PDB file of all heavy atoms in Angstrom:
ATOM      1  N   ILE A1435       0.887  -1.176   0.011  1.00 86.00           N
ATOM      2  CA  ILE A1435      -0.018   0.008  -0.007  1.00 86.00           C
ATOM      3  C   ILE A1435       0.879   1.245   0.079  1.00 86.00           C
ATOM      4  O   ILE A1435       0.656   2.219  -0.733  1.00 86.00           O
ATOM      5  CB  ILE A1435      -0.980   0.076   1.219  1.00 86.00           C
ATOM      6  CG1 ILE A1435      -1.967  -1.161   1.088  1.00 86.00           C
ATOM      7  CG2 ILE A1435      -1.619   1.275   1.397  1.00 86.00           C
ATOM      8  CD1 ILE A1435      -2.818  -1.340   2.321  1.00 86.00           C
ATOM      9  N   LEU A1436       1.910   1.236   0.884  1.00 88.00           N
ATOM     10  CA  LEU A1436       2.804   2.448   0.904  1.00 88.00           C
ATOM     11  C   LEU A1436       3.512   2.672  -0.403  1.00 88.00           C
ATOM     12  O   LEU A1436       3.569   3.802  -0.953  1.00 88.00           O
ATOM     13  CB  LEU A1436       3.858   2.143   2.023  1.00 88.00           C
ATOM     14  CG  LEU A1436       4.945   3.211   2.149  1.00 88.00           C
ATOM     15  CD1 LEU A1436       4.392   4.631   2.449  1.00 88.00           C
ATOM     16  CD2 LEU A1436       5.987   2.824   3.213  1.00 88.00           C
ATOM     17  N   LEU A1437       4.137   1.610  -0.998  1.00 89.00           N
ATOM     18  CA  LEU A1437       4.832   1.813  -2.259  1.00 89.00           C
ATOM     19  C   LEU A1437       4.020   2.234  -3.382  1.00 89.00           C
ATOM     20  O   LEU A1437       4.286   3.076  -4.182  1.00 89.00           O
ATOM     21  CB  LEU A1437       5.573   0.510  -2.625  1.00 89.00           C
ATOM     22  CG  LEU A1437       6.697   0.035  -1.585  1.00 89.00           C
ATOM     23  CD1 LEU A1437       7.341  -1.193  -2.086  1.00 89.00           C
ATOM     24  CD2 LEU A1437       7.704   1.159  -1.345  1.00 89.00           C
ATOM     25  N   ASP A1438       2.696   1.679  -3.423  1.00 90.00           N
ATOM     26  CA  ASP A1438       1.759   2.004  -4.505  1.00 90.00           C
ATOM     27  C   ASP A1438       1.338   3.449  -4.309  1.00 90.00           C
ATOM     28  O   ASP A1438       1.206   4.187  -5.262  1.00 90.00           O
ATOM     29  CB  ASP A1438       0.533   1.121  -4.432  1.00 90.00           C
ATOM     30  CG  ASP A1438       0.791  -0.282  -4.998  1.00 90.00           C
ATOM     31  OD1 ASP A1438       1.773  -0.462  -5.616  1.00 90.00           O
ATOM     32  OD2 ASP A1438      -0.097  -1.140  -4.707  1.00 90.00           O
ATOM     33  N   THR A1439       1.131   3.907  -3.068  1.00 92.00           N
ATOM     34  CA  THR A1439       0.798   5.311  -2.845  1.00 92.00           C
ATOM     35  C   THR A1439       1.832   6.269  -3.245  1.00 92.00           C
ATOM     36  O   THR A1439       1.606   7.351  -3.784  1.00 92.00           O
ATOM     37  CB  THR A1439       0.569   5.552  -1.259  1.00 92.00           C
ATOM     38  OG1 THR A1439      -0.588   4.680  -0.910  1.00 92.00           O
ATOM     39  CG2 THR A1439       0.137   6.954  -1.013  1.00 92.00           C
ATOM     40  N   LEU A1440       3.090   5.864  -3.013  1.00 93.00           N
ATOM     41  CA  LEU A1440       4.250   6.758  -3.404  1.00 93.00           C
ATOM     42  C   LEU A1440       4.682   6.580  -4.806  1.00 93.00           C
ATOM     43  O   LEU A1440       5.551   7.341  -5.336  1.00 93.00           O
ATOM     44  CB  LEU A1440       5.384   6.512  -2.505  1.00 93.00           C
ATOM     45  CG  LEU A1440       5.170   6.764  -1.001  1.00 93.00           C
ATOM     46  CD1 LEU A1440       6.338   6.397  -0.114  1.00 93.00           C
ATOM     47  CD2 LEU A1440       4.782   8.130  -0.694  1.00 93.00           C
ATOM     48  N   GLY A1441       4.111   5.605  -5.511  1.00 94.00           N
ATOM     49  CA  GLY A1441       4.487   5.404  -6.919  1.00 94.00           C
ATOM     50  C   GLY A1441       5.822   4.749  -7.024  1.00 94.00           C
ATOM     51  O   GLY A1441       6.645   4.987  -8.066  1.00 94.00           O
ATOM     52  N   LEU A1442       6.229   3.932  -6.093  1.00 94.00           N
ATOM     53  CA  LEU A1442       7.580   3.261  -6.022  1.00 94.00           C
ATOM     54  C   LEU A1442       7.351   1.832  -6.503  1.00 94.00           C
ATOM     55  O   LEU A1442       6.339   1.229  -6.244  1.00 94.00           O
ATOM     56  CB  LEU A1442       8.122   3.300  -4.597  1.00 94.00           C
ATOM     57  CG  LEU A1442       8.470   4.667  -4.105  1.00 94.00           C
ATOM     58  CD1 LEU A1442       8.929   4.543  -2.644  1.00 94.00           C
ATOM     59  CD2 LEU A1442       9.462   5.412  -4.871  1.00 94.00           C
ATOM     60  N   LYS A1443       8.332   1.323  -7.294  1.00 93.00           N
ATOM     61  CA  LYS A1443       8.244   0.034  -7.826  1.00 93.00           C
ATOM     62  C   LYS A1443       9.470  -0.858  -7.409  1.00 93.00           C
ATOM     63  O   LYS A1443      10.614  -0.264  -7.164  1.00 93.00           O
ATOM     64  CB  LYS A1443       8.207   0.011  -9.333  1.00 93.00           C
ATOM     65  CG  LYS A1443       9.396   0.725  -9.969  1.00 93.00           C
ATOM     66  CD  LYS A1443       9.119   0.847 -11.507  1.00 93.00           C
ATOM     67  CE  LYS A1443      10.299   1.632 -12.141  1.00 93.00           C
ATOM     68  NZ  LYS A1443      10.111   1.807 -13.587  1.00 93.00           N
ATOM     69  N   PRO A1444       9.327  -2.097  -7.192  1.00 92.00           N
ATOM     70  CA  PRO A1444      10.454  -2.912  -6.795  1.00 92.00           C
ATOM     71  C   PRO A1444      11.584  -2.989  -7.825  1.00 92.00           C
ATOM     72  O   PRO A1444      11.279  -2.996  -9.046  1.00 92.00           O
ATOM     73  CB  PRO A1444       9.851  -4.380  -6.647  1.00 92.00           C
ATOM     74  CG  PRO A1444       8.365  -4.084  -6.516  1.00 92.00           C
ATOM     75  CD  PRO A1444       8.130  -2.857  -7.298  1.00 92.00           C
ATOM     76  N   LYS A1445      12.832  -2.877  -7.362  1.00 93.00           N
ATOM     77  CA  LYS A1445      13.958  -2.984  -8.223  1.00 93.00           C
ATOM     78  C   LYS A1445      14.123  -4.450  -8.542  1.00 93.00           C
ATOM     79  O   LYS A1445      14.020  -5.355  -7.736  1.00 93.00           O
ATOM     80  CB  LYS A1445      15.195  -2.508  -7.484  1.00 93.00           C
ATOM     81  CG  LYS A1445      16.400  -2.267  -8.311  1.00 93.00           C
ATOM     82  CD  LYS A1445      17.530  -1.475  -7.498  1.00 93.00           C
ATOM     83  CE  LYS A1445      18.760  -1.293  -8.400  1.00 93.00           C
ATOM     84  NZ  LYS A1445      19.691  -0.491  -7.639  1.00 93.00           N
ATOM     85  N   LYS A1446      14.629  -4.726  -9.779  1.00 94.00           N
ATOM     86  CA  LYS A1446      14.863  -6.109 -10.242  1.00 94.00           C
ATOM     87  C   LYS A1446      16.212  -6.545  -9.739  1.00 94.00           C
ATOM     88  O   LYS A1446      17.139  -5.679  -9.467  1.00 94.00           O
ATOM     89  CB  LYS A1446      14.847  -6.057 -11.794  1.00 94.00           C
ATOM     90  CG  LYS A1446      13.487  -5.841 -12.348  1.00 94.00           C
ATOM     91  CD  LYS A1446      13.488  -5.850 -13.916  1.00 94.00           C
ATOM     92  CE  LYS A1446      12.153  -5.594 -14.488  1.00 94.00           C
ATOM     93  NZ  LYS A1446      12.133  -5.593 -15.972  1.00 94.00           N
ATOM     94  N   PRO A1447      16.466  -7.811  -9.599  1.00 94.00           N
ATOM     95  CA  PRO A1447      17.759  -8.269  -9.102  1.00 94.00           C
ATOM     96  C   PRO A1447      18.874  -8.056 -10.062  1.00 94.00           C
ATOM     97  O   PRO A1447      18.564  -7.994 -11.245  1.00 94.00           O
ATOM     98  CB  PRO A1447      17.505  -9.807  -8.928  1.00 94.00           C
ATOM     99  CG  PRO A1447      16.397 -10.136  -9.820  1.00 94.00           C
ATOM    100  CD  PRO A1447      15.530  -8.961  -9.835  1.00 94.00           C
ATOM    101  N   PHE A1448      20.101  -7.926  -9.606  1.00 95.00           N
ATOM    102  CA  PHE A1448      21.332  -7.864 -10.406  1.00 95.00           C
ATOM    103  C   PHE A1448      21.392  -6.705 -11.402  1.00 95.00           C
ATOM    104  O   PHE A1448      22.056  -6.713 -12.366  1.00 95.00           O
ATOM    105  CB  PHE A1448      21.527  -9.204 -11.238  1.00 95.00           C
ATOM    106  CG  PHE A1448      21.361 -10.440 -10.500  1.00 95.00           C
ATOM    107  CD1 PHE A1448      20.256 -11.330 -10.736  1.00 95.00           C
ATOM    108  CD2 PHE A1448      22.174 -10.714  -9.389  1.00 95.00           C
ATOM    109  CE1 PHE A1448      20.079 -12.475  -9.969  1.00 95.00           C
ATOM    110  CE2 PHE A1448      21.978 -11.879  -8.647  1.00 95.00           C
ATOM    111  CZ  PHE A1448      20.954 -12.724  -8.973  1.00 95.00           C
ATOM    112  N   GLU A1449      20.729  -5.601 -10.983  1.00 92.00           N
ATOM    113  CA  GLU A1449      20.813  -4.356 -11.775  1.00 92.00           C
ATOM    114  C   GLU A1449      22.135  -3.664 -11.507  1.00 92.00           C
ATOM    115  O   GLU A1449      22.667  -2.919 -12.422  1.00 92.00           O
ATOM    116  CB  GLU A1449      19.692  -3.458 -11.514  1.00 92.00           C
ATOM    117  CG  GLU A1449      18.351  -3.960 -12.121  1.00 92.00           C
ATOM    118  CD  GLU A1449      17.308  -2.885 -12.117  1.00 92.00           C
ATOM    119  OE1 GLU A1449      17.586  -1.659 -11.649  1.00 92.00           O
ATOM    120  OE2 GLU A1449      16.160  -2.999 -12.657  1.00 92.00           O
ATOM    121  N   ASP A1450      22.683  -3.772 -10.306  1.00 91.00           N
ATOM    122  CA  ASP A1450      23.859  -3.016  -9.903  1.00 91.00           C
ATOM    123  C   ASP A1450      25.171  -3.876 -10.098  1.00 91.00           C
ATOM    124  O   ASP A1450      26.159  -3.302 -10.479  1.00 91.00           O
ATOM    125  CB  ASP A1450      23.800  -2.545  -8.508  1.00 91.00           C
ATOM    126  CG  ASP A1450      22.731  -1.644  -8.219  1.00 91.00           C
ATOM    127  OD1 ASP A1450      22.358  -0.828  -9.138  1.00 91.00           O
ATOM    128  OD2 ASP A1450      22.112  -1.671  -7.133  1.00 91.00           O
ATOM    129  N   HIS A1451      25.028  -5.201  -9.990  1.00 92.00           N
ATOM    130  CA  HIS A1451      26.131  -6.056 -10.116  1.00 92.00           C
ATOM    131  C   HIS A1451      25.646  -7.379 -10.759  1.00 92.00           C
ATOM    132  O   HIS A1451      24.548  -7.871 -10.468  1.00 92.00           O
ATOM    133  CB  HIS A1451      26.849  -6.404  -8.785  1.00 92.00           C
ATOM    134  CG  HIS A1451      27.398  -5.174  -8.107  1.00 92.00           C
ATOM    135  ND1 HIS A1451      28.617  -4.678  -8.361  1.00 92.00           N
ATOM    136  CD2 HIS A1451      26.837  -4.351  -7.212  1.00 92.00           C
ATOM    137  CE1 HIS A1451      28.833  -3.629  -7.642  1.00 92.00           C
ATOM    138  NE2 HIS A1451      27.750  -3.379  -6.933  1.00 92.00           N
ATOM    139  N   LYS A1452      26.499  -7.990 -11.549  1.00 92.00           N
ATOM    140  CA  LYS A1452      26.072  -9.140 -12.293  1.00 92.00           C
ATOM    141  C   LYS A1452      25.766 -10.301 -11.282  1.00 92.00           C
ATOM    142  O   LYS A1452      26.389 -10.375 -10.211  1.00 92.00           O
ATOM    143  CB  LYS A1452      27.027  -9.577 -13.326  1.00 92.00           C
ATOM    144  CG  LYS A1452      28.401 -10.005 -12.844  1.00 92.00           C
ATOM    145  CD  LYS A1452      29.298 -10.453 -13.926  1.00 92.00           C
ATOM    146  CE  LYS A1452      30.643 -10.963 -13.426  1.00 92.00           C
ATOM    147  NZ  LYS A1452      31.598 -11.353 -14.562  1.00 92.00           N
ATOM    148  N   LYS A1453      25.058 -11.251 -11.799  1.00 95.00           N
ATOM    149  CA  LYS A1453      24.766 -12.423 -10.934  1.00 95.00           C
ATOM    150  C   LYS A1453      26.008 -13.261 -10.737  1.00 95.00           C
ATOM    151  O   LYS A1453      26.782 -13.533 -11.686  1.00 95.00           O
ATOM    152  CB  LYS A1453      23.714 -13.334 -11.641  1.00 95.00           C
ATOM    153  CG  LYS A1453      23.409 -14.572 -11.010  1.00 95.00           C
ATOM    154  CD  LYS A1453      22.421 -15.515 -11.754  1.00 95.00           C
ATOM    155  CE  LYS A1453      22.229 -16.915 -11.132  1.00 95.00           C
ATOM    156  NZ  LYS A1453      21.296 -17.663 -11.858  1.00 95.00           N
ATOM    157  N   PRO A1454      26.336 -13.639  -9.436  1.00 93.00           N
ATOM    158  CA  PRO A1454      27.578 -14.433  -9.222  1.00 93.00           C
ATOM    159  C   PRO A1454      27.456 -15.770  -9.838  1.00 93.00           C
ATOM    160  O   PRO A1454      26.290 -16.434  -9.795  1.00 93.00           O
ATOM    161  CB  PRO A1454      27.567 -14.501  -7.695  1.00 93.00           C
ATOM    162  CG  PRO A1454      26.723 -13.474  -7.182  1.00 93.00           C
ATOM    163  CD  PRO A1454      25.638 -13.233  -8.231  1.00 93.00           C
ATOM    164  N   GLU A1455      28.506 -16.244 -10.399  1.00 94.00           N
ATOM    165  CA  GLU A1455      28.497 -17.600 -10.992  1.00 94.00           C
ATOM    166  C   GLU A1455      28.900 -18.573  -9.832  1.00 94.00           C
ATOM    167  O   GLU A1455      29.695 -18.320  -8.960  1.00 94.00           O
ATOM    168  CB  GLU A1455      29.535 -17.708 -12.060  1.00 94.00           C
ATOM    169  CG  GLU A1455      29.279 -16.867 -13.291  1.00 94.00           C
ATOM    170  CD  GLU A1455      30.290 -17.007 -14.403  1.00 94.00           C
ATOM    171  OE1 GLU A1455      31.200 -17.883 -14.323  1.00 94.00           O
ATOM    172  OE2 GLU A1455      30.281 -16.321 -15.417  1.00 94.00           O
ATOM    173  N   VAL A1456      28.304 -19.823  -9.939  1.00 93.00           N
ATOM    174  CA  VAL A1456      28.534 -20.825  -9.004  1.00 93.00           C
ATOM    175  C   VAL A1456      29.694 -21.661  -9.691  1.00 93.00           C
ATOM    176  O   VAL A1456      29.596 -22.040 -10.803  1.00 93.00           O
ATOM    177  CB  VAL A1456      27.327 -21.694  -8.741  1.00 93.00           C
ATOM    178  CG1 VAL A1456      27.675 -22.911  -7.837  1.00 93.00           C
ATOM    179  CG2 VAL A1456      26.235 -20.944  -8.147  1.00 93.00           C
ATOM    180  N   TYR A1457      30.693 -21.951  -8.868  1.00 92.00           N
ATOM    181  CA  TYR A1457      31.828 -22.696  -9.446  1.00 92.00           C
ATOM    182  C   TYR A1457      32.466 -23.676  -8.379  1.00 92.00           C
ATOM    183  O   TYR A1457      32.200 -23.458  -7.215  1.00 92.00           O
ATOM    184  CB  TYR A1457      33.005 -21.759  -9.964  1.00 92.00           C
ATOM    185  CG  TYR A1457      33.429 -20.755  -9.013  1.00 92.00           C
ATOM    186  CD1 TYR A1457      34.556 -21.095  -8.191  1.00 92.00           C
ATOM    187  CD2 TYR A1457      32.865 -19.509  -8.816  1.00 92.00           C
ATOM    188  CE1 TYR A1457      35.115 -20.181  -7.293  1.00 92.00           C
ATOM    189  CE2 TYR A1457      33.314 -18.598  -7.880  1.00 92.00           C
ATOM    190  CZ  TYR A1457      34.407 -18.917  -7.089  1.00 92.00           C
ATOM    191  OH  TYR A1457      34.868 -18.009  -6.175  1.00 92.00           O
ATOM    192  N   ASP A1458      33.143 -24.678  -8.908  1.00 89.00           N
ATOM    193  CA  ASP A1458      33.770 -25.666  -7.981  1.00 89.00           C
ATOM    194  C   ASP A1458      35.024 -25.012  -7.479  1.00 89.00           C
ATOM    195  O   ASP A1458      35.877 -24.480  -8.290  1.00 89.00           O
ATOM    196  CB  ASP A1458      34.168 -26.966  -8.762  1.00 89.00           C
ATOM    197  CG  ASP A1458      32.825 -27.652  -9.164  1.00 89.00           C
ATOM    198  OD1 ASP A1458      31.839 -27.628  -8.340  1.00 89.00           O
ATOM    199  OD2 ASP A1458      32.872 -28.344 -10.190  1.00 89.00           O
ATOM    200  N   LEU A1459      35.215 -25.070  -6.227  1.00 86.00           N
ATOM    201  CA  LEU A1459      36.426 -24.445  -5.566  1.00 86.00           C
ATOM    202  C   LEU A1459      37.326 -25.647  -5.092  1.00 86.00           C
ATOM    203  O   LEU A1459      36.851 -26.569  -4.451  1.00 86.00           O
ATOM    204  CB  LEU A1459      35.993 -23.551  -4.363  1.00 86.00           C
ATOM    205  CG  LEU A1459      37.110 -22.893  -3.600  1.00 86.00           C
ATOM    206  CD1 LEU A1459      37.783 -21.832  -4.478  1.00 86.00           C
ATOM    207  CD2 LEU A1459      36.558 -22.241  -2.277  1.00 86.00           C
TER     208      LEU A1459
END
């Protein structure tokens, strides 16, 4: 309700940094 009232929308994942890769260590 709060976010809709303010016109704010959820940010999508990995917009600031790429998705970490899973790898064998």
Side-chain angles (χ1 to χ4, degrees):
I1435 292 171
L1436 173 61
L1437 297 183
D1438 286 347
T1439 299
L1440 299 177
L1442 299 175
K1443 58 186 179 183
K1445 188 174 184 175
K1446 295 179 180 179
F1448 311 117
E1449 284 193 2
D1450 296 327
H1451 299 274
K1452 67 179 182 178
K1453 177 184 174 182
E1455 294 182 8
V1456 177
Y1457 56 91
D1458 292 328
L1459 184 66

